[in-house]
Amino acid sequence: MESFILYNGDPSLKIPDCLFKGTKTLQLMDMTRVQLPTLPSSLQFLEKLQTLCLDGCGLGDIALIGELKMLKVLSLMGSNIDRLPREIGQLTRLQLLDLKDNPTLEIIPPNVLSCLTQLEDLYMENSFLQWDPMILPKDFFSKKLERFHILIGEGWDWSRKRETSTIMKLKINASIQSEEGIQLLLKRTEDLHLDGLEGVKSVSYELDGQGFPSLKHLHIQNSLEIRYIVDSTMLSPIVAFPFLVSLPLDNLNKLEKICNGQPVAESFSKLRILKLKSCPMLKNLFSLHMERVLLQLEEISIIDCEIMEVIVAEESGGEADEDEAIKLTQLRTLTLEYLPQFTSVSSKSNAASISQTRPEPLITDVRSHEIASDTGLRTPMTLFNKKIEFPNLEDLKLSSIEVEKIWQDQPGELSFWFVRLTSLIVEGCRNLKYLFTTSMVESLAQLKRLELCDCVSMEEIIIKKGLGEEENVRGMLLPKLEFLKLNGLPNLTRFCTGHLIQCCFLQELWIEDCPALKTFISNSLSTVAVANNQFEETNSTLFDEKVAFSNIEILRILGMDNLNMIWHTEFHSDSFCKLKALWVEKGNKLMNIFPPNMLRRFQNLERLMVGHCASLEEVFDLRSLMNEKESHVVTAFKLKNMYVIPNLEELSLNVKDAAKVCQGQFSADLFHRLRVLELQCFDSAEFPFGILHRFQNMEKLVVTGGLFKELFPCQLVDEEEHTLARIRCLELFCLPYMEKIWNQDLRADQLLQNLETLEVRFCDNLINFAPSASSFEI
């Protein structure tokens, strides 16, 4: 026998001491989850064993493993050991040691791991939580160690997805510059995470005098002293981080600059991902003379940096070409969040904008002494300018940025720098009054996702700027848009002004808490000017013939208390024909959901949820269809989940709705396809059993929340018995007073002859499931 595999989680399983006698040829043994407080003594006879897996075994004394001199692979993952015995050092042929997920492991005697001269792989994630890395001696690890995953301290993410072969994560509260054991590992580490580092002001200069030549990923967090990642003003500057790919920096309270001075050529030459969070002393990322660092970046994320002003700043004495732009050709993702002082991506072009903000004398009409114009109004600065180009940007997220404009009103060539943008999320930008001009939106032909949330000043999404732009909104806008979300925009009155908006690929539209929005797209002819230069829509219909959404499947309309109508009686020929799900909530002025004569448009609707609409009188107006020619429209509906519907399959009723059904207020034909019925929140002492015979094809009954003590009474009519006989699944939840399901006089096994599933939960007073005379086939 060459292998022995036993998986078991039963703590009562006993392994006899003599189990492995006579198995000298065994080379692989896997005893995952076998409880072994004491290793069987016969383990020492496995002279040729090369692989031993004792994962999740709850081990006690494991000193006997030291006798397995041929062992090459030893896995003790999650085995709850508290110390590694000195005898492990005898495994001089060991190549892989896995100690992952042993948080109680505190002791490894000196010269144990260093004796494992053939060790190439060492995994220590989620172990040694109480260790301090200063206790690691210089010769703690074998010099042959090629792959290691060492995580010291709590809170680290130790995902099994590993992009590098050498990973070290240290949670410390001390200085490590003088620790030789750590310094040796730093030079060989490709993925380094440091938490709580002390006594370091410049990372590359003080931690590794060679500039971390092997490092690919560096993550530093919770340090109170670091001022620079690289300080090129020090004597004899060297190439720093030549192979670094990602650099997340989090909660570095004194970080002033990433690079102090101009770094040596090839520094950061491979940097792809740069993420900064909670760095309150950082004003910018780079200066213009670090252009070569910027050119390779694929992702930039800046979050919660209180005084951050720009991404690229021109320092005093700069000699950069005024007309030459920096082209970030590799940048795909840009995230800017919670930056109260942020003004622009580059300060190079801000001087002209700032000069435009200076007040000029007011021009007055001498004859009337009235102000004819006010040129003292400042020109708002824009987030993007012509100094930095983003030709391949795909994902842009802006959150809590105080800028008043994202793009220039007449962007010109600037608009062509965002032609690949596919996702745009704007949140909490309280100074924005609009998002695009019509000339800008023309370049966003690849945009698939657009989310606008909590922008309290936004009045319109797309506006016209200048003469002759009205024709721009006649045709297709945002042709590839798939998802649109408008949420928390209290002053939004319209999406845009024009004659037609076509979004042929739009599948989901969410409009939530936009109380001033009464029409999605307005025509200048349908507005009336009022005294304060604002506009009031004469038509309060959200969607009309100017909206063409041919592929929309999901529509959410929430918190629209001033909306009178969702759909006009006439709208674009193929709009909303593919709608499958509709949510309408908190629309207190809505009197109906669907317009008359338009129901054939919504025959693909499968899910409809309507709630908290105080004025609602009807969902469907069926009066116009109550003739022989149009009756097929009702029966052709695909609706499966809603309240009074022909193809309804699932229905949930509270006590008021159930009373209406019992009183015969609804035709029995409305429920002829119902399969699942849920009855909830009944405050009566008796279960309303009389309702069940109205659902002749019911297969599943769910009862939750009620005060009754008994579910089924003793007297049943034929129709009620036939209904019970069809039930395959019965679920009873949260019925605290129910003492029995069936009356003792009932033959429950006959009434529920097709019952396959009975589930009872949170019924604390239940005494028995069925009468004693009943029997069920299991």
Side-chain angles (χ1 to χ4, degrees), residues 527-543:
T527 58
V528 215
V530 291
N532 59 359
N533 258 348
Q534 300 297 314
F535 292 99
E536 180 180 354
E537 296 294 335
T538 59
N539 187 345
S540 61
T541 301
L542 187 58
F543 303 117

Side-chain angles (χ1 to χ4, degrees), residues 655-666 691 694:
V655 61
K656 293 182 179 180
D657 296 329
K660 294 179 181 180
V661 175
C662 289
Q663 294 167 7
Q665 295 187 19
F666 304 98
I691 195 177
R694 297 183 179 273

Side-chain angles (χ1 to χ4, degrees), residues 674-675 677 692 695-700 723 726-727:
L674 193 86
R675 298 290 183 269
L677 175 64
L692 298 184
F695 306 97
Q696 295 295 318
N697 294 306
M698 179 178 59
E699 297 178 354
K700 178 178 179 180
T723 301
R726 293 189 178 93
I727 293 180

